[in-house]
Amino acid sequence: MAVATPGKWSLGACQLGAGGSQQAVRSAEARPRFVEGSIVRIFMENFLTYDICEVRPGPNLNMIVGANGTGKSSIVCAICLGLAGKPSFIGRADKVGLFVKQGCLKGVVEIELSKTPDNIIITREIQVVNNTSTWFINRKPTTLKTVEEQIAALNIQVDNLCQFLPQDKVGEFAKLSKIELLEATEKSIGPPEMYQFHCELKNFREKERELENLCRDKTNSLEKMRQRIERYKQDVERYHERKRHLDLIEMLERKRPWVEYENVRQQHEEVKQSRDQAKEELKNLKEMQSPVTKKIQETEEYFKSLDMKIRDKAAEIKDVSQNCKQKQDALEMKDKQIEEIHQALRMKKDEEMDRQRKIHNTHKMIEDWKNELNTMAVCENLQPQTDAVNNELKKLQEERANIDSDISDLRAEKMNQERENKRIIDRLGQLSNIMNMKEENLKGRFRDTHSALMWLRKNKDKFKKKVCEPMMLEINMKDNRHAKYVENHISANDMRAFVFESQEDMEMFLVEMRDHQKLRVNAVCAPAESCAERLPSRPIEELRRYGFFSYLRELFDAPHPVMSYLCSQYHVHDVPVGTEKTRNMIERVIQETKLRQIYTAEEKYIVKVSAYTNLTLSTNTSLRAAQFLTSSVDTDERRQLENQQQVINNTLKSLDTCLTTLFERQKHLEHRDNELRQQKKELLERGNRRRQLESKIGVKYDSLRQLEQDAINLEKESQQANLKIKEINIQKARLVTELMHLIKNCVSLNILKADLVLQSTTVAAEKNRLESEYKAASVQLRAAEQQFRELDERKRVLTENCKELLKKARQVCKLSPDQHLPKEFQTAFQALPTTLEEIDAFLNEEKTRASCFTGLNASVVEEYNKQTREIQQLTEYLEEKKNELDSYKQNISQVKERWLNPLKTLIEQINGKFSNFFSSMQCVGEVDLHVENEEEYDKYGIRIRVKFHSSTELHELTPYHQSGGEKSVSTMLYLMALQELNRCPFRVVDEINQGMDPMNERRVFEMVVKTACKESTSQYFFITPKLLQNLTYNDKMTVLFVYNGPFMLEANKWNLKAFCRRRRRLGRMDEQ
């Protein structure tokens, strides 16, 4: 069979004849028949190492051979996961999504199983994103439960180590307990009902133990209860005597309310007859008054209809009146508009008269001011004095402005310095807190290292050269997000190590710490030749296209000795750090860059070249979260901040001195400024009066010109007003005509309303007459009604009394409302007195007799009856449980016979095969049924005992006694012993021969070939990375070669027949 993938992985297989000669693949017709449930085909897509791969195993022994890492175990994983197995069965990963090839979002596994009449194809699609699977049977969607049912029906058990033994579970087979091995063997090769019988036996035995304990406890309880009930008999007899008196008292008390009820019932019947007579008389009176009532109703209806018509007419009158009111309001509005026009004209006239008056007054005011100005003496010339004062003020203001500017600049400078000083203090506090946090972290995790640090800080003068504190304190990350890369790269021991420049200093330090102070500390010595400035093998710019952004060294700062040591020991200058992009193209990165260590966003990759195959192998691990370097302190920054703080303090002192000097000069200039301003004010007041007069005269001339321009044309305004009034009068005439028409309509409506009111008055008088006659007849009717109500009320009271007495009587007799008095009560009542007096006398007599019985309690009888019932119930329950126990014992006997005998036969067959296999290897092996107690079916187990050396005794196979190779041989031979007896369709064994020596490996291999290639045996998968030379093969074997390399042939180009022809041709050429 030829199989290949479009990727770098490929799988080839062929069937070999004896002696290793290669044969062509058999046709479908010649291929031996597959056992039902065996694997016909395995298809994988984007699964672990495969892009696409299809495997077609043979029906007997299938040898899967290939170097480590080529993908042999991937086929085992595909079988397990494709047949509804869980990832934990394989032991490789806990999530099914991790089995999808890296960089792909979906993987597919498809298994074709042999079945009559048509094969079953089970497909599992694995999604990486949400770690889920989609199932198909024969290409149709289905559920996991349906798949599991189909697989169970074919007796496939991928979780049974006797059937499916993956590479990572080989060691666990030897760890199986005897009990677990028995259960696995029953499931694997026993008849389907054998394991079921075993489970039933364990359940039956558990139930049997429970029933035996229960019967024993209940028997003891029953005997104690029978002894206790004998003590209650005498008290119960006295209690029954007292109860007979109490029963008679109870019967008398029951009859008494019935006698009371009968007396009241007779009174009720008498009152009822009188009430019925009064009711008949009342009925006759009402019939006589009925015609009058009807006539009053008719009159009332006619009166209401008239009233309705009157209201309708009133509504019409109201509407017409409302329209008249609207017309009147409109007329008034027109009159108001005319008045407003007249008012506007009058305002224009008044405004013109006011303008003329203002012009006259302005002319007079100008004349008066001119006269005053003419009479005023010529003012003295004050301009030189004013100019002198202004010049001095100007100079003074310029000087004050300069001083204010200097003060403002100095204050701003002082505020800036103070803000900077505060920032530096806050930053130094932050750095101190970070350093303290790092030291507390060191103290919490490595107390000895912290103690050594405290000693070092006090004794630094004892060392010749520089000594650096532990690296976790000295290393400061430039970005805390990158701390995880550094911590995953540097070992934890070096993270807490002190770094010395001198070997002599380091040795002296270690002697002091380890020998004298007994502290466990680490120390390293930086290389004599500095490595801190080493250049990387290539610039980071060449690697940016792969997603790398920096080397490790550029991510942090550290003292020179620390950096030199890390470059020398960990090559931090040459280890690049990448992103998620790097992870997505990791295969290309490994092939093209030849880097040995790589960091992606969340993983670390270590790349090695195999000395055996010269292939590049890579391993990746997830990055641990950072623990030590998430808080970093920049020592250079701290030193610079302290220097800046000293400079700022000196600057602040100098600024305070300058400000004091400027404030004193500013105060002096302010005093002189006030003096000059007072002088200027006095000079200005002397020259301002003449200018004020000249200014006022100019303003009044401007006002006069404006008034003359605002003249109004009164004649034109009067003509416009007359035109508006004429238009409004035309509208008024139209409104008056409409108003007259509405008034006429309103008068006619009022006449009709008055006629209706007269009719209504006549009807009202007739109605009042009829009501007077009705009232006179109603007096007699009310008297009759009063008599009827009194009798009815008395009847009601007696009825209520009867009901209450009847209810009381029923309650005393404990009867329901619809239940008649029982015959036993009627019979008992006949023997009792019939009057209340006789009943009361008899009742007192019986109560006196009952009071003679004292000290008795109903709880005695209740307890006696309760105990009696419990004894009866317990007797019946005990009998039932004994019958159930006998039934379980009978079931156990039957099931045990059907389970144990076939099991012993099966184990004898296994032992015979197992012993023969060991004998052929000159060793001894036995398999037997281990029983501690024949009745404890959950303790039955299979014991394997082996002896590999003639000088030793048989020893039980355990995880600890035998060597790894001996355990592998024992496991393999036990599985081979199961092979011929097995009812499972196939078995998988992965790399079990790795711990065997060559001799045992050859013997085991020959047994596997002989056993697995028999006609009746089931399918067998044997996975191994290597085979010994000159092994014995069989025609029924199928050998699957798994190989990979850079020059792989694509799957669709592989042709097995052509390969065999070429190989034979080359063989003939070699012979020539």
Side-chain angles (χ1 to χ4, degrees), residues 80 121 168 323 422 622 684 767 798 984:
C80 178
I121 301 175
D168 296 319
N323 290 335
K422 184 177 182 303
S622 297
L684 291 175
K767 177 186 171 188
L798 289 173
C984 65

mmCIF file with all atom_site columns, all heavy atoms in Angstrom, residues 80 121 168 323 422 622 684 767 798 984:
data_model
loop_
_atom_site.group_PDB
_atom_site.id
_atom_site.type_symbol
_atom_site.label_atom_id
_atom_site.label_alt_id
_atom_site.label_comp_id
_atom_site.label_asym_id
_atom_site.label_entity_id
_atom_site.label_seq_id
_atom_site.pdbx_PDB_ins_code
_atom_site.Cartn_x
_atom_site.Cartn_y
_atom_site.Cartn_z
_atom_site.occupancy
_atom_site.B_iso_or_equiv
_atom_site.pdbx_formal_charge
_atom_site.auth_seq_id
_atom_site.auth_comp_id
_atom_site.auth_asym_id
_atom_site.auth_atom_id
_atom_site.pdbx_PDB_model_num
ATOM 1  N N   . CYS A 1 80  ? -7.121  5.889   18.477 1.00 0.00 ? 80  CYS A N   1
ATOM 2  C CA  . CYS A 1 80  ? -7.788  6.118   19.768 1.00 0.00 ? 80  CYS A CA  1
ATOM 3  C C   . CYS A 1 80  ? -8.831  7.227   19.649 1.00 0.00 ? 80  CYS A C   1
ATOM 4  O O   . CYS A 1 80  ? -9.992  7.044   20.014 1.00 0.00 ? 80  CYS A O   1
ATOM 5  C CB  . CYS A 1 80  ? -6.747  6.465   20.826 1.00 0.00 ? 80  CYS A CB  1
ATOM 6  S SG  . CYS A 1 80  ? -7.471  6.830   22.452 1.00 0.00 ? 80  CYS A SG  1
ATOM 7  N N   . ILE A 1 121 ? -17.856 3.787   8.428  1.00 0.00 ? 121 ILE A N   1
ATOM 8  C CA  . ILE A 1 121 ? -16.832 4.848   8.361  1.00 0.00 ? 121 ILE A CA  1
ATOM 9  C C   . ILE A 1 121 ? -17.160 5.874   9.439  1.00 0.00 ? 121 ILE A C   1
ATOM 10 O O   . ILE A 1 121 ? -18.204 6.528   9.398  1.00 0.00 ? 121 ILE A O   1
ATOM 11 C CB  . ILE A 1 121 ? -16.800 5.524   6.975  1.00 0.00 ? 121 ILE A CB  1
ATOM 12 C CG1 . ILE A 1 121 ? -16.494 4.478   5.887  1.00 0.00 ? 121 ILE A CG1 1
ATOM 13 C CG2 . ILE A 1 121 ? -15.772 6.653   6.957  1.00 0.00 ? 121 ILE A CG2 1
ATOM 14 C CD1 . ILE A 1 121 ? -16.574 5.036   4.474  1.00 0.00 ? 121 ILE A CD1 1
ATOM 15 N N   . ASP A 1 168 ? 2.785   5.768   25.914 1.00 0.00 ? 168 ASP A N   1
ATOM 16 C CA  . ASP A 1 168 ? 2.888   6.413   27.216 1.00 0.00 ? 168 ASP A CA  1
ATOM 17 C C   . ASP A 1 168 ? 2.177   5.638   28.313 1.00 0.00 ? 168 ASP A C   1
ATOM 18 O O   . ASP A 1 168 ? 2.188   6.052   29.469 1.00 0.00 ? 168 ASP A O   1
ATOM 19 C CB  . ASP A 1 168 ? 2.315   7.838   27.142 1.00 0.00 ? 168 ASP A CB  1
ATOM 20 C CG  . ASP A 1 168 ? 3.133   8.710   26.203 1.00 0.00 ? 168 ASP A CG  1
ATOM 21 O OD1 . ASP A 1 168 ? 4.361   8.604   26.248 1.00 0.00 ? 168 ASP A OD1 1
ATOM 22 O OD2 . ASP A 1 168 ? 2.517   9.463   25.424 1.00 0.00 ? 168 ASP A OD2 1
ATOM 23 N N   . ASN A 1 323 ? -73.567 83.600  19.156 1.00 0.00 ? 323 ASN A N   1
ATOM 24 C CA  . ASN A 1 323 ? -73.214 84.233  17.879 1.00 0.00 ? 323 ASN A CA  1
ATOM 25 C C   . ASN A 1 323 ? -73.449 85.726  17.933 1.00 0.00 ? 323 ASN A C   1
ATOM 26 O O   . ASN A 1 323 ? -72.669 86.525  17.402 1.00 0.00 ? 323 ASN A O   1
ATOM 27 C CB  . ASN A 1 323 ? -74.037 83.615  16.743 1.00 0.00 ? 323 ASN A CB  1
ATOM 28 C CG  . ASN A 1 323 ? -73.604 82.175  16.452 1.00 0.00 ? 323 ASN A CG  1
ATOM 29 O OD1 . ASN A 1 323 ? -72.470 81.809  16.728 1.00 0.00 ? 323 ASN A OD1 1
ATOM 30 N ND2 . ASN A 1 323 ? -74.516 81.376  15.896 1.00 0.00 ? 323 ASN A ND2 1
ATOM 31 N N   . LYS A 1 422 ? 9.185   68.426  43.485 1.00 0.00 ? 422 LYS A N   1
ATOM 32 C CA  . LYS A 1 422 ? 8.157   67.487  43.956 1.00 0.00 ? 422 LYS A CA  1
ATOM 33 C C   . LYS A 1 422 ? 8.124   66.232  43.085 1.00 0.00 ? 422 LYS A C   1
ATOM 34 O O   . LYS A 1 422 ? 7.981   65.112  43.582 1.00 0.00 ? 422 LYS A O   1
ATOM 35 C CB  . LYS A 1 422 ? 6.789   68.179  43.924 1.00 0.00 ? 422 LYS A CB  1
ATOM 36 C CG  . LYS A 1 422 ? 5.660   67.325  44.495 1.00 0.00 ? 422 LYS A CG  1
ATOM 37 C CD  . LYS A 1 422 ? 4.351   68.093  44.513 1.00 0.00 ? 422 LYS A CD  1
ATOM 38 C CE  . LYS A 1 422 ? 3.252   67.262  45.136 1.00 0.00 ? 422 LYS A CE  1
ATOM 39 N NZ  . LYS A 1 422 ? 3.038   65.995  44.484 1.00 0.00 ? 422 LYS A NZ  1
ATOM 40 N N   . SER A 1 622 ? 5.714   26.280  27.138 1.00 0.00 ? 622 SER A N   1
ATOM 41 C CA  . SER A 1 622 ? 4.992   27.522  27.437 1.00 0.00 ? 622 SER A CA  1
ATOM 42 C C   . SER A 1 622 ? 5.782   28.344  28.452 1.00 0.00 ? 622 SER A C   1
ATOM 43 O O   . SER A 1 622 ? 6.421   27.800  29.358 1.00 0.00 ? 622 SER A O   1
ATOM 44 C CB  . SER A 1 622 ? 3.611   27.209  27.992 1.00 0.00 ? 622 SER A CB  1
ATOM 45 O OG  . SER A 1 622 ? 2.853   26.538  27.029 1.00 0.00 ? 622 SER A OG  1
ATOM 46 N N   . LEU A 1 684 ? -4.934  119.163 36.613 1.00 0.00 ? 684 LEU A N   1
ATOM 47 C CA  . LEU A 1 684 ? -5.976  118.925 35.632 1.00 0.00 ? 684 LEU A CA  1
ATOM 48 C C   . LEU A 1 684 ? -7.286  119.598 36.012 1.00 0.00 ? 684 LEU A C   1
ATOM 49 O O   . LEU A 1 684 ? -8.019  120.082 35.159 1.00 0.00 ? 684 LEU A O   1
ATOM 50 C CB  . LEU A 1 684 ? -6.196  117.415 35.458 1.00 0.00 ? 684 LEU A CB  1
ATOM 51 C CG  . LEU A 1 684 ? -5.060  116.639 34.771 1.00 0.00 ? 684 LEU A CG  1
ATOM 52 C CD1 . LEU A 1 684 ? -5.344  115.150 34.779 1.00 0.00 ? 684 LEU A CD1 1
ATOM 53 C CD2 . LEU A 1 684 ? -4.876  117.126 33.343 1.00 0.00 ? 684 LEU A CD2 1
ATOM 54 N N   . LYS A 1 767 ? -98.913 64.891  38.130 1.00 0.00 ? 767 LYS A N   1
ATOM 55 C CA  . LYS A 1 767 ? -98.000 63.934  38.797 1.00 0.00 ? 767 LYS A CA  1
ATOM 56 C C   . LYS A 1 767 ? -98.080 64.075  40.317 1.00 0.00 ? 767 LYS A C   1
ATOM 57 O O   . LYS A 1 767 ? -98.125 63.077  41.042 1.00 0.00 ? 767 LYS A O   1
ATOM 58 C CB  . LYS A 1 767 ? -96.575 64.190  38.300 1.00 0.00 ? 767 LYS A CB  1
ATOM 59 C CG  . LYS A 1 767 ? -95.521 63.326  38.970 1.00 0.00 ? 767 LYS A CG  1
ATOM 60 C CD  . LYS A 1 767 ? -94.136 63.748  38.538 1.00 0.00 ? 767 LYS A CD  1
ATOM 61 C CE  . LYS A 1 767 ? -93.098 63.035  39.385 1.00 0.00 ? 767 LYS A CE  1
ATOM 62 N NZ  . LYS A 1 767 ? -91.750 63.530  39.146 1.00 0.00 ? 767 LYS A NZ  1
ATOM 63 N N   . LEU A 1 798 ? -84.843 32.127  64.704 1.00 0.00 ? 798 LEU A N   1
ATOM 64 C CA  . LEU A 1 798 ? -85.056 30.726  65.076 1.00 0.00 ? 798 LEU A CA  1
ATOM 65 C C   . LEU A 1 798 ? -84.323 29.786  64.103 1.00 0.00 ? 798 LEU A C   1
ATOM 66 O O   . LEU A 1 798 ? -83.815 28.742  64.510 1.00 0.00 ? 798 LEU A O   1
ATOM 67 C CB  . LEU A 1 798 ? -86.561 30.416  65.086 1.00 0.00 ? 798 LEU A CB  1
ATOM 68 C CG  . LEU A 1 798 ? -87.352 31.066  66.241 1.00 0.00 ? 798 LEU A CG  1
ATOM 69 C CD1 . LEU A 1 798 ? -88.852 30.847  66.057 1.00 0.00 ? 798 LEU A CD1 1
ATOM 70 C CD2 . LEU A 1 798 ? -86.905 30.506  67.596 1.00 0.00 ? 798 LEU A CD2 1
ATOM 71 N N   . CYS A 1 984 ? -11.886 -9.414  20.884 1.00 0.00 ? 984 CYS A N   1
ATOM 72 C CA  . CYS A 1 984 ? -11.853 -8.031  20.412 1.00 0.00 ? 984 CYS A CA  1
ATOM 73 C C   . CYS A 1 984 ? -11.331 -8.018  18.976 1.00 0.00 ? 984 CYS A C   1
ATOM 74 O O   . CYS A 1 984 ? -10.525 -8.857  18.587 1.00 0.00 ? 984 CYS A O   1
ATOM 75 C CB  . CYS A 1 984 ? -10.978 -7.161  21.306 1.00 0.00 ? 984 CYS A CB  1
ATOM 76 S SG  . CYS A 1 984 ? -9.251  -7.616  21.297 1.00 0.00 ? 984 CYS A SG  1
#
